[in-house]
């Protein structure tokens, strides 16, 4: 699909033509396209991340796989396949995406597999990690029935150590439902368990990983010599500027030296999509109440950038400086400080505040930076708000529309 496909019929009643392709002078249709919000993924930036990840994999012998929970724009998988060979799934649909669209079986982990879908999940998986020993025992006979095509079995472990500060993203918080604790494991692991999986990072550094490994080995080291693989989960943000890539490589090489029997796997998501593109929106109205100015946009934080509210964090906006919301409440004379508001009815669907260098106008574009991970995998159509287009800026400068959403997409959610 290119930019001008799928715009429907031109409703410019003066025009005898039917579509923009046939009606190049129809400004109505042209502006209808130009005013849509859209995510723009930049191929050049994506390839830069992929090249770095591939080079670390080559230097260390560790395998890096893509976590779909952060990024699953499957029309870009041909690009990914030039750099990596596998992906990780957490559900039946992600496992199917791995198998059918990426073209290789998934490394799958789910907090709890379900009776009716387990066989399908297993059929799409090369590695399958259980979250508990009870799930392992319940489903092991089903894997035996698969014979040689059964996935390699792993167990998620919880080292009860994590440097993640945001509770929402801390899988090792006391009482967490994730993973088996070291004192719950038998001295002799069941023979069918071939790997451990441990996820305890989020936008973390190489130093975080090095410190976490000390705890992991302290608690689980005695089982490692007899396993085949160790998956160190996601949250390794090696593509962030300033990340100590050399330390990551050194840490992974050290781990491999200590346990030459282990295939080391890392499954970041954010690191692949990090800084690869923006969400472009437009100002639809500007309202000012009791001195607080809010530019209402044709996008929504809750629908299109949910991590901003969940995490929470204030995204960067091109050409504007992040300031405290108190500055929106008490703006200084001549300051252009705005809250940005989503176009949903949720009262909390706004963020504040940003200082612009000019007064915002209706129709003006607002660009939210770094909006290609944990966005389009999490979007909702709450309030029937149209989802932004997903567009790809190719290396040759062409823009391809990967997806455009319509009324039918909303209607069919409740079909
Ligand atoms: C089990 C597991 N693997 C991988 C990831 C990907 O993490 P990130 O996108 O932070 O690299 C997550 C994120 O929550 C996860 O829970």
């Amino acid at each position: 699909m290119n930019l001008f496909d799928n715009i429907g019929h031109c409703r410019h009643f003066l025009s005898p033509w039917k579509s923009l392709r046939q009606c190049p002078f129809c400004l109505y249709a042209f502006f209808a396209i130009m005013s849509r919000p859209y995510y723009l993924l930049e191929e050049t930036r994506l390839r830069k991340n992929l090249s770095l990840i591939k080079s670390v994999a080559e230097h260390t012998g560790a395998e890096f796989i893509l976590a779909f929970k952060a990024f699953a724009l499957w029309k870009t998988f041909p690009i990914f396949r030039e750099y990596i060979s596998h992906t990780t799934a957490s559900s039946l649909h992600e496992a199917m995406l791995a198998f059918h669209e990426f073209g290789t079986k998934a490394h799958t982990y789910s907090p709890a597999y379900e009776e009716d879908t387990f066989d399908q999940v297993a059929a799409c998986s090369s590695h399958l990690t259980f979250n508990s020993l009870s799930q392992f025992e319940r489903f092991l006979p089903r894997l035996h029935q698969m014979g040689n095509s059964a996935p390699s079995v792993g167990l998620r472990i919880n080292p009860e150590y994590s440097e993640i500060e945001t509770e929402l993203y801390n899988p090792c918080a006391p009482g967490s439902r994730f993973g088996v604790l070291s004192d719950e494991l038998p001295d002799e692991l069941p023979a069918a368990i071939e790997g451990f999986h441990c996820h305890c990072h989020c936008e973390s550094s190489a130093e975080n990983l090095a410190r976490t490994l000390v705890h992991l080995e302290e608690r689980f080291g005695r089982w490692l010599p007899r396993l085949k693989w160790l998956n160190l989960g996601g949250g390794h943000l090696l593509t962030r500027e300033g990340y100590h890539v050399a330390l990551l490589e050194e840490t992974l090489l050290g781990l491999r030296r200590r346990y030459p029997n282990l295939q080391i796997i890392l499954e970041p998501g954010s690191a692949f999509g990090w800084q690869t593109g923006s969400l472009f929106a437009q100002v639809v109205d500007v309202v000012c109440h009791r001195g607080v100015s809010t530019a209402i946009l044709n996008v929504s934080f809750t629908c299109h950038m949910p991590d901003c509210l969940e995490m929470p964090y204030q995204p960067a906006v091109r050409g504007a400086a992040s300031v405290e919301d108190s500055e929106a409440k008490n703006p200084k004379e001549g300051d252009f400080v705005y809250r940005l508001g989503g176009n949903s009815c949720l009262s909390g669907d706004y963020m504040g505040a940003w200082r612009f260098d000019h007064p915002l106008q209706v129709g003006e574009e607002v660009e939210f930076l770094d909006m290609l991970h944990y966005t389009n995998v999490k979007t909702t159509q709450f309030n029937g708000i149209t989802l932004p287009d997903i567009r790809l800026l190719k290396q040759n400068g062409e823009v391809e529309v990967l997806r455009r959403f319509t009324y039918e997409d909303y209607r069919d959610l409740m079909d």
Side-chain angles (χ1 to χ4, degrees):
M1 208 193 290
N2 76 29
L3 197 58
F4 297 103
D5 283 341
N6 195 26
I7 60 161
H9 293 294
C10 166
R11 279 165 285 157
H12 183 194
F13 60 93
L14 294 177
S15 166
W17 307 97
K18 280 202 162 174
S19 75
L20 185 66
R21 272 183 189 290
Q22 297 160 310
C23 174
F25 305 110
C26 179
L27 289 176
Y28 177 91
F30 180 72
F31 284 116
I33 295 169
M34 298 315 284
S35 64
R36 281 173 190 270
Y38 59 97
Y39 298 99
L40 186 70
L41 170 65
E42 296 181 35
E43 182 180 352
T44 308
R45 288 168 174 266
L46 178 63
R47 284 188 185 273
K48 190 170 161 231
N49 287 351
L50 285 161
S51 300
L52 174 72
I53 290 168
K54 185 178 178 184
S55 100
V56 175
E58 283 171 353
H59 290 160
T60 61
E63 180 171 15
F64 283 74
I65 63 180
L66 167 68
F68 283 162
K69 66 198 82 198
F71 186 102
L73 292 180
W74 55 272
K75 287 180 183 165
T76 64
F77 286 173
I79 301 173
F80 278 79
R81 279 197 295 263
E82 293 178 33
Y83 302 85
I84 61 165
S85 308
H86 294 97
T87 57
T88 180
S90 306
S91 61
L92 171 62
H93 288 173
E94 284 188 351
M96 288 171 73
L97 198 72
F99 189 54
H100 296 298
E101 303 302 335
F102 200 89
T104 49
K105 290 189 175 183
H107 290 234
T108 306
Y109 157 77
S110 163
Y113 296 103
E114 295 163 30
E115 288 290 336
D116 56 339
T117 52
F118 180 78
D119 294 338
Q120 266 177 291
V121 171
C124 293
S125 305
S126 61
H127 295 64
L128 192 137
T129 297
F130 290 100
N131 187 52
S132 67
L133 285 166
S134 58
Q135 280 248 311
F136 165 74
E137 279 153 19
R138 182 169 316 133
F139 289 111
L140 188 62
R142 307 255 288 260
L143 293 178
H144 284 327
Q145 281 168 13
M146 292 175 72
N148 288 342
S149 62
S152 175
V153 173
L155 193 63
R156 177 155 174 175
I157 53 168
N158 182 337
E160 297 176 86
Y161 176 84
S162 169
E163 301 187 9
I164 298 173
E165 280 164 12
T166 310
E167 204 66 348
L168 184 66
Y169 290 94
N170 185 359
C172 300
S176 162
R177 69 189 187 288
F178 295 134
V180 181
L181 310 183
S182 56
D183 52 17
E184 294 167 350
L185 277 181
D187 287 342
E188 196 66 42
L189 274 184
I193 294 176
E194 297 187 329
F196 276 169
H197 178 292
C198 174
H199 169 75
C200 37
H201 292 87
C202 178
E203 299 194 355
S204 303
S205 64
E207 290 81 353
N208 293 140
L209 173 65
R211 286 192 291 265
T212 304
L213 275 184
V214 173
H215 289 259
L216 189 149
E217 288 180 65
E218 226 168 70
R219 290 181 184 230
F220 293 94
R222 63 195 170 118
W223 291 285
L224 295 180
R226 85 138 198 76
L227 295 175
K228 290 188 179 160
W229 51 268
L230 174 64
N231 183 325
L232 293 172
H236 313 279
L237 199 44
L238 60 160
T239 49
R240 173 161 42 196
E241 210 184 322
Y243 186 98
H244 198 335
V245 175
L247 176 62
L248 172 68
E249 293 187 345
E250 205 180 289
T251 305
L252 294 175
L253 286 168
L255 186 63
R256 291 196 64 216
R257 271 195 300 274
R258 289 193 295 285
Y259 305 100
N261 54 305
L262 289 179
Q263 181 204 5
I264 308 295
I265 302 155
L266 292 90
E267 51 175 36
S270 298
F272 287 94
W274 188 253
Q275 304 278 5
T276 54
S278 301
L279 173 59
F280 291 84
Q282 283 192 326
V283 177
V284 184
D285 195 12
V286 180
V287 294
C288 184
H289 299 296
R290 304 268 183 247
V292 178
S293 296
T294 305
I296 303 179
L297 308 174
N298 58 356
V299 292
S300 151
F301 290 100
T302 189
C303 299
H304 311 139
M305 301 172 267
D307 272 7
C308 296
L309 300 178
E310 275 181 20
M311 190 72 173
Y313 77 98
Q314 187 174 7
V317 170
R318 191 175 299 284
S322 263
V323 294
E324 293 294 321
D325 192 48
S326 55
E327 294 207 30
K329 290 180 185 148
N330 303 296
K332 294 193 197 86
E333 187 74 30
D335 243 8
F336 306 114
V337 174
Y338 295 87
R339 284 180 178 171
L340 296 177
N343 211 354
S344 81
C345 296
L346 175 72
S347 307
D349 189 5
Y350 76 88
M351 295 202 73
W354 287 265
R355 179 181 289 111
F356 290 80
D357 61 6
H358 61 279
L360 289 183
Q361 308 289 337
V362 170
E364 175 168 351
E365 191 168 75
V366 172
E367 179 184 349
F368 293 96
L369 303 178
D370 195 21
M371 279 296 159
L372 262 296
H373 50 101
Y374 291 104
T375 50
N376 31 58
V377 283
K378 288 180 108 174
T379 48
T380 74
Q381 297 184 68
F382 171 57
N383 264 190
I385 296 174
T386 311
L387 291 169
D389 280 3
I390 300 170
R391 302 183 187 175
L392 173 67
L393 174 59
K394 295 186 186 173
Q395 277 181 312
N396 64 8
E398 255 176 47
V399 175
E400 185 186 352
V401 178
L402 301 181
R403 182 72 157 95
R404 174 157 296 152
F405 297 89
T406 61
Y407 160 66
E408 287 73 22
D409 291 307
Y410 171 67
R411 185 196 61 192
D412 293 350
L413 272 178
M414 286 135 311
D415 201 359

